[in-house]
Amino acid sequence: MQNISEEKCKLVEELGLSFEDNHNLPPLAGRIYAVMILSSVDGHSFEDIIEITSASKSSVSTNLNLLVQLKFIEYFTKTGDRKRYFRTTKNYLRITLEEYLESIEKELNLVKKVNSFNKEHNPEKFKKNKNLGLIFQEYLTTQKENLETTIKKMIAFNNEFDQL
Amino acid sequence: MQNISEEKCKLVEELGLSFEDNHNLPPLAGRIYAVMILSSVDGHSFEDIIEITSASKSSVSTNLNLLVQLKFIEYFTKTGDRKRYFRTTKNYLRITLEEYLESIEKELNLVKKVNSFNKEHNPEKFKKNKNLGLIFQEYLTTQKENLETTIKKMIAFNNEFDQL
DNA sequence: TAATTGGTTCGGTGATTTCCGAACCAATAC
DNA sequence: GTATTGGTTCGGAAATCACCGAACCAATTA
């Protein structure tokens, strides 16, 4: 981490680590993403990233491409300049939430499956824990709804913003 | 996976995988935990687990102890029997939620930090994305509340249950 | 005391991940 | 045509992980 303040550097590490396990990204990808979120510059070049992260060309290349592929970041070009410039996609927060939503939906399905399996095969156990299982299912459902309304809000905000 | 139906076997794999990445457990630990959740038997012995999972003594030992340490499971003994019997803790669902709560709180703190960092250091960017950042923060807050009320519900249910 | 049972600990192996450097390629500049 | 720039691809090194078998230990049984 060069050319950035110590405060920012620390926050990059912390945020990077968080991306790392929330989105299953390699450490370097998490850090690159964090750098972009915490920066006011609109567009970091390949070389900028190499310098800031002190990583090799090949690693930076791989991880930038990964982030692009996952739509966390995008790149643009300037006329008369062969370089690519990278920045976070406008919808990165929404993408994060959509990812969560997907995983919550999966979990909810699994919990329903488990509940109905136990209802059928372990009726006594199910009776005992019925309410707990259902409370859990209820929790996941509420969480799913919260996600869905939040995503809608974000879409609405972006539409509004685009009209300006 | 021996001595269990194919349906159960499949569900064990699926549920095990889910624990594996929701709680960062080793694969075998996830499967063991899944087996116990899907079983009506109250108390699996060390040997039972070895047979069901077809894993080695050492691996089973390590992973059972890990699950006990993390309070996902507990063990009890029977008089005149040296074996230990394992079962899910009564509060395993609550523990799961408490774990979630902790991670949400961490994330919320991080998001607040990022928002205030950008507010200070990248005011223009912050202004543009202000509402998105706040919507996200709001989402996390709601989720946190949902978790807290769910946990309370579970505690209440358990207390009620204990009185019977 | 010797053998068995229930379980733990340790060293090592195969699989996976993350990163690097070197070679490489395609487009532009000289 | 040659050199440089911007970036990709490939092979391998280092680290980590999950699991196993073998040796081990402590408590019970014979």
Side-chain angles (χ1 to χ4, degrees):
Chain A
M1 290 297 158
Q2 271 160 351
N3 282 342
I4 58 179
S5 73
E6 203 190 328
E7 184 195 357
K8 187 166 172 179
C9 187
K10 269 193 175 177
L11 203 45
V12 165
E13 287 309 322
E14 203 180 342
L15 197 53
L17 221 57
S18 161
F19 292 134
E20 205 178 315
D21 45 67
N22 281 326
H23 304 286
N24 264 316
L25 295 176
L28 183 54
R31 284 196 295 270
I32 291 175
Y33 191 34
V35 165
M36 293 191 182
I37 284 177
L38 294 173
S39 171
S40 55
V41 181
D42 184 52
H44 290 81
S45 71
F46 191 89
E47 282 202 307
D48 291 342
I49 299 296
I50 289 179
E51 211 200 330
I52 294 172
T53 62
S54 315
S56 72
K57 271 173 80 171
S58 56
S59 302
V60 169
S61 173
T62 308
N63 285 285
L64 279 175
N65 288 330
L66 176 65
L67 288 168
V68 168
Q69 192 204 315
L70 297 175
K71 305 207 176 165
F72 286 117
I73 65 175
E74 60 188 6
Y75 62 85
F76 58 96
T77 48
K78 300 176 183 175
T79 44
D81 184 347
R82 264 207 300 153
K83 287 184 193 173
R84 294 198 288 169
Y85 292 87
F86 297 87
R87 64 180 165 209
T88 57
T89 55
K90 209 183 68 186
N91 298 320
Y92 73 93
L93 278 176
R94 203 182 81 204
I95 289 173
T96 298
L97 291 180
E98 281 167 351
E99 244 188 38
Y100 281 174
L101 181 56
E102 212 177 306
S103 74
I104 290 291
E105 277 169 348
K106 262 188 209 155
E107 199 179 351
L108 185 54
N109 281 333
L110 194 50
V111 167
K112 283 180 184 169
K113 252 196 229 177
V114 170
N115 277 339
S116 73
F117 180 92
N118 278 333
K119 190 174 180 178
E120 189 178 346
H121 295 84
N122 314 315
E124 283 158 46
K125 184 179 175 178
F126 179 73
K127 229 184 254 173
K128 246 198 255 176
N129 292 311
K130 189 179 175 186
N131 285 306
L132 284 180
L134 295 187
I135 289 172
F136 192 72
Q137 202 172 309
E138 215 175 277
Y139 154 75
L140 285 175
T141 307
T142 306
Q143 204 186 4
K144 188 182 154 190
E145 286 164 7
N146 181 20
L147 271 163
E148 283 166 344
T149 62
T150 305
I151 289 171
K152 273 185 201 157
K153 266 191 217 170
M154 286 195 173
I155 292 174
F157 176 77
N158 277 337
N159 285 342
E160 213 177 297
F161 198 79
D162 286 344
Q163 306 221 335
L164 299 185
Chain B
M1 288 301 156
Q2 271 159 352
N3 283 341
I4 60 178
S5 73
E6 203 189 330
E7 184 196 358
K8 186 165 171 179
C9 185
K10 269 192 174 176
L11 202 45
V12 165
E13 286 309 323
E14 204 181 342
L15 196 55
L17 221 57
S18 161
F19 291 135
E20 203 178 315
D21 44 69
N22 281 326
H23 304 286
N24 265 315
L25 295 177
L28 182 55
R31 284 195 295 271
I32 292 175
Y33 191 33
V35 165
M36 294 193 181
I37 285 177
L38 294 174
S39 172
S40 55
V41 181
D42 184 54
H44 289 82
S45 71
F46 191 88
E47 282 203 307
D48 292 341
I49 299 296
I50 288 179
E51 211 199 330
I52 295 172
T53 61
S54 315
S56 72
K57 271 173 81 171
S58 56
S59 303
V60 169
S61 172
T62 309
N63 285 284
L64 279 175
N65 288 330
L66 177 65
L67 287 169
V68 168
Q69 192 203 314
L70 297 175
K71 305 205 177 169
F72 286 117
I73 64 175
E74 60 189 5
Y75 63 85
F76 59 95
T77 48
K78 299 175 184 175
T79 44
D81 184 348
R82 264 210 301 153
K83 287 185 194 174
R84 294 196 289 169
Y85 293 87
F86 298 86
R87 64 179 165 209
T88 57
T89 56
K90 208 183 72 187
N91 297 321
Y92 73 92
L93 278 176
R94 204 182 82 203
I95 289 173
T96 297
L97 290 180
E98 281 167 350
E99 242 189 40
Y100 281 173
L101 180 57
E102 211 176 308
S103 76
I104 290 291
E105 276 169 348
K106 262 189 208 155
E107 197 177 355
L108 185 54
N109 281 333
L110 194 50
V111 167
K112 282 179 184 169
K113 253 195 229 176
V114 170
N115 277 340
S116 73
F117 180 92
N118 279 333
K119 190 174 181 180
E120 188 177 349
H121 296 83
N122 315 313
E124 283 157 47
K125 183 179 176 179
F126 179 73
K127 230 183 254 173
K128 247 199 253 175
N129 292 310
K130 188 180 175 185
N131 284 307
L132 284 179
L134 294 188
I135 289 171
F136 192 72
Q137 203 172 308
E138 215 176 279
Y139 153 74
L140 285 175
T141 306
T142 305
Q143 206 186 3
K144 191 183 151 189
E145 285 164 8
N146 182 20
L147 271 163
E148 284 165 344
T149 62
T150 305
I151 290 172
K152 273 185 203 158
K153 267 191 218 169
M154 287 194 171
I155 292 174
F157 175 77
N158 277 336
N159 285 341
E160 213 177 298
F161 197 79
D162 286 343
Q163 307 222 333
L164 300 183

